[in-house]
């Protein structure tokens, strides 16, 4: 709780995306769930766009999917 509102989530996403770019990735893909509204907010504010569930997703735990061009 003490880290809430500190921008740490945005910083972690930036670090991960920088490493993905350095490794040659062109897109980032995220899965989450409706009940994780704080995460969804951060993803949207970080430039992720919600996409439809892909055929490759075979589990049912997550119901929201996001993608971003790096």
């Amino acid at each position: 709780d003490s880290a809430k509102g500190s921008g740490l989530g945005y910083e972690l996403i930036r670090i991960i995306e920088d490493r993905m770019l350095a490794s040659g990735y062109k897109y980032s893909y995220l899965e989450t769930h409706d009940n994780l509204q704080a995460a969804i907010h951060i993803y949207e504010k970080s430039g992720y766009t919600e996409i439809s569930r892909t055929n490759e997703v075979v589990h049912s735990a997550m119901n929201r999917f996001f993608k971003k061009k790096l």
Side-chain angles (χ1 to χ4, degrees):
D1 282 345
S2 64
K4 286 182 182 177
S6 68
L8 184 58
Y10 296 102
E11 181 66 15
L12 289 171
I13 287 177
R14 187 195 61 76
I15 290 168
I16 292 166
E17 290 175 349
D18 287 348
R19 291 192 179 181
M20 290 173 74
L21 273 171
S23 297
Y25 288 90
K26 297 187 185 328
Y27 291 91
S28 178
Y29 168 80
L30 300 168
E31 298 180 1
T32 191
H33 194 275
D34 284 334
N35 64 358
L36 300 172
Q37 287 299 309
I40 292 169
H41 176 78
I42 290 173
Y43 300 153
E44 291 174 337
K45 290 287 189 175
S46 296
Y48 284 79
T49 302
E50 189 161 6
I51 61 172
S52 299
R53 180 187 191 114
T54 65
N55 292 333
E56 292 79 18
V57 176
V58 294
H59 57 81
S60 62
M62 301 299 175
N63 66 351
R64 305 279 297 269
F65 308 90
F66 292 84
K67 185 177 179 180
K68 177 181 178 180
K69 184 173 186 198
L70 300 174

